[in-house]
Amino acid sequence: MIQRFDRSDRRILKYPAVHPCEGISPATLLGSLITLSQTICNYHSKLLATQRKNARETIRQIGILSLFFQEIRDLGLNLPSSSVLCFSELHFSFQKIQFLLEDCTREGARVWMLMKAHVVATQFRVLIRSVATALDVLPLGLLDVSQEVRELVEMVANQARKANLELDPDDESAMNSVILILNQFENRFEPIPSVIKQVLDHLDIKSWIGCQNEIRFLDEEMGLECVDGNEREIPLLSSLIGFMSYCRGVLFEDSDIRNMDDKSEGRRSMEMLNCLNLEDFRCPISLELMTDPVTVSTGQTYDRVSIQKWLKAGNLLCPKTGKVLATTELVPNSALRKLIHQLCADHGVSMAKSKSKNRDISRTIIPGSQAAAEAIRFLCTFLAGRLHYGKDDQRCKAAYEVRILGKSNIFNRSCLIESGTIPPLLTLLTSINPSLQENAIAALLKLSKHPNGKKIIVHNGGLSIIVAVLKDGLKLEARQIAAATIFYLSSVYKYRILIGRIPKAIPALVELIKDGTSYGKKNALVAIFALLLYPRNHQIVHAAGIVPILVDLLASSYETDLITDALAVLATLADRVDESTSLQNASFLALVIRILQSSSMSRGGKEHCVSILLSLCNNCGEDVIAFLAKDSSFMASLYSMLTDGTAHASKKARSLIRIIHKFHETSSSHMLTKEGPNFHEHRVRLQ
């Protein structure tokens, strides 16, 4: 068998070709060559944004050889063994040619292939000459093919040997224009739109979607470069992302944009431990959960990846204090790391996912190049102007651009905030246009993840406006995004207090738990959990009627994440004596026990179950304990938590076991007293 060529996981400009095995039959090799050459010829009908001349010349020569292979097959000729070597080398070169043509026609890779035009042209030249080298050893005299075909093969060999495949002058001109544009950005000059348009026309990028495809590819390529530990290409990739982002936001007014599905991003975000708003566990640089905390000479703690990137950029000041670092030595904060790992395990959060997310987002703190930084600043200024003074459709698009730019890039968020996008976005929340309102609240959600964004939102009266969207948003999606925004704002202690004081805020979140989609329910649950970190909000949450809604959710939902979040809120409420009494009933206790014993429930969810039951035992007394003591399977679940649960969960399970054992002992002592002195003797005889 010959290896397949259409490797979808292949990196661009990488050519994992393989030689056919030595024992392959000539007929099999010939058949594979015909298939491969026909696949290459099919690229003639595909759009080639760059390398048009080189690609067409290569395809033409392979097409002639394809006729040669087909005639050999049709005539049923016996191939001499000496021809197998030639065909094997051709097969190897054809694979690489297919990979190269695949890259030249790859969607989203046009600007990158343009900037690699010299390398690609050289590769075409090398590969076509490798075809000539292989044809040099072809024993044409031993093959009984027609004179016409023989002459064609000889012509291809001669042309391939002398092929002068050079960089297309049009490609070189477009590449130089891009370099000029990037230099202008770097020097803080806004490029002339007509020059940019010439480049985009050459690459046949004619729409917002076309720019977005380029950005998506470049971002993925930059991520792969970072994973490989190769940062040589990062400045150019970053500059091109900035350039294409500018083009997307400034040059295209088309309406072919579609609302991106932010639900998966929101869901992943809510799975991170930072949903608990424990500020001490966030890196001051990346603002995300620290997975490998280290301490610098000033005593401040950062995530290792973030602080290393900071130092590598030449910064010798402590980011948080501004003091000069006496040394760049990083001391592992083992105690904090252990605590974070423990909390992640407790709440069912994958450290691998969290670490991957932090690595991805850490490279967005500082722009990869000056050109990228200035391109984004120009774009942000343009968007702020559109939000202030544009027509409704222009404002809607501008809000959508903010939504995308701020999605996962910390530097972009800071530029958007500095450009003054937040005040007009807050104004747009009162719009009667559903799409405009949704894009505005989604943009604010992204900016609320930044400390300065939170501050500006609150200082501009944003809390009450966002709560109004939460309660009466024109679309359910807008209400659900507003809940997520409330969650991020609640990470600041004093904002929890302010939100709790808005009469409609907590009732609206409770209503969303009842009526929202899974995504909306989750947003509302984590927002309420965050608000409960301020003790005086407990009574408001309880008075909003959350308990029966959560109990109903536990009984009806099959989504583990949702059940875990509901249990987390109930565990917080159950911890207070005045609120735990509403949970003191047999049906609720039976439900929690059933969830605890479920094999599909997460470890975090099971710990919440134990926390709830322990709080109810402590707050509600003997009635709850007696109910739990009756269920023999419940004790088995607690013992299982001792071995399978986290240290925190094991501690709670052990406390519950002691309570139930003490109840049994007390009951036994009471029975001994009641039965008299002969009862013990009777029990001994039974044993």
Side-chain angles (χ1 to χ4, degrees), residues 628-643:
L628 299 178
K630 291 177 186 176
D631 192 335
S632 57
S633 63
F634 172 63
M635 289 297 286
S637 300
L638 291 180
Y639 280 114
S640 175
M641 291 290 288
L642 295 179
T643 55

Side-chain angles (χ1 to χ4, degrees), residues 302-358:
Y302 305 92
D303 198 43
R304 183 183 294 275
V305 172
S306 299
I307 191 64
Q308 283 180 337
K309 190 175 184 70
W310 174 268
L311 295 173
K312 191 173 182 180
N315 300 301
L316 296 178
L317 300 178
C318 173
K320 194 168 183 179
T321 65
K323 295 180 180 178
V324 178
L325 295 172
T327 174
T328 57
E329 182 181 2
L330 305 176
V331 180
N333 192 329
S334 302
L336 182 57
R337 185 174 186 272
K338 185 176 181 181
L339 180 57
I340 292 172
H341 277 246
Q342 184 69 62
L343 285 168
C344 281
D346 289 355
H347 294 277
V349 176
S350 166
M351 285 299 294
K353 289 181 181 178
S354 178
K355 191 172 184 178
S356 173
K357 179 181 177 183
N358 279 358

Side-chain angles (χ1 to χ4, degrees), residues 264-492:
S264 59
E265 184 220 352
R267 190 172 296 116
R268 287 193 300 270
S269 296
M270 298 309 165
E271 287 174 354
M272 296 297 121
L273 184 62
N274 61 9
C275 72
L276 301 179
N277 291 301
L278 300 173
E279 295 297 321
D280 291 339
F281 299 145
R282 296 181 187 228
C283 173
I285 299 175
S286 70
L287 311 179
E288 303 294 335
L289 173 68
M290 289 185 281
T291 58
D292 187 9
V294 292
T295 303
V296 297
S297 59
T298 58
Q300 299 297 322
T301 299
Y302 305 92
D303 198 43
R304 183 183 294 275
V305 172
S306 299
I307 191 64
Q308 283 180 337
K309 190 175 184 70
W310 174 268
L311 295 173
K312 191 173 182 180
N315 300 301
L316 296 178
L317 300 178
C318 173
K320 194 168 183 179
T321 65
K323 295 180 180 178
V324 178
L325 295 172
T327 174
T328 57
E329 182 181 2
L330 305 176
V331 180
N333 192 329
S334 302
L336 182 57
R337 185 174 186 272
K338 185 176 181 181
L339 180 57
I340 292 172
H341 277 246
Q342 184 69 62
L343 285 168
C344 281
D346 289 355
H347 294 277
V349 176
S350 166
M351 285 299 294
K353 289 181 181 178
S354 178
K355 191 172 184 178
S356 173
K357 179 181 177 183
N358 279 358
R359 187 188 301 117
D360 289 342
I361 206 164
S362 66
R363 61 182 167 86
T364 74
I365 302 166
I366 301 172
S369 70
Q370 188 63 32
E374 298 306 325
I376 294 299
R377 288 192 178 102
F378 277 123
L379 173 57
C380 292
T381 301
F382 173 84
L383 294 176
R386 278 296 170 88
L387 290 171
H388 275 290
Y389 308 114
K391 299 176 183 177
D392 269 7
D393 58 338
Q394 293 174 327
R395 288 177 171 181
C396 190
K397 181 180 179 294
Y400 187 70
E401 290 289 343
V402 174
R403 180 178 185 176
I404 298 175
L405 282 172
K407 182 175 181 181
S408 57
N409 191 298
I410 295 172
F411 176 77
N412 289 359
R413 290 173 198 160
S414 64
C415 287
L416 288 164
I417 293 166
E418 290 169 7
S419 298
T421 57
I422 288 179
L425 284 171
L426 288 171
T427 301
L428 295 179
L429 293 184
T430 60
S431 170
I432 58 173
N433 181 327
S435 295
L436 185 52
Q437 185 187 68
E438 180 186 343
N439 282 319
I441 188 62
L444 286 166
L445 167 62
K446 304 304 184 291
L447 301 183
S448 69
K449 298 179 181 181
H450 195 285
N452 290 340
K454 294 180 180 69
K455 188 183 301 182
I456 295 173
I457 288 172
V458 175
H459 287 182
N460 282 271
L463 287 180
S464 58
I465 304 174
I466 292 169
V467 168
V469 175
L470 172 67
K471 184 178 183 300
D472 299 311
L474 299 174
K475 294 169 65 176
L476 176 60
E477 182 62 22
R479 293 173 55 206
Q480 297 182 151
I481 297 171
T485 310
I486 293 291
F487 151 68
Y488 279 106
L489 294 172
S490 300
S491 65
V492 179

Side-chain angles (χ1 to χ4, degrees), residues 68 153 343 371:
F68 168 58
V153 172
L343 285 168

Side-chain angles (χ1 to χ4, degrees), residues 586-602:
S587 59
F588 176 71
L589 294 173
L591 177 61
V592 174
I593 292 173
R594 177 170 63 80
I595 295 172
L596 175 63
Q597 295 172 339
S598 171
S599 59
S600 61
M601 181 46 54
S602 65

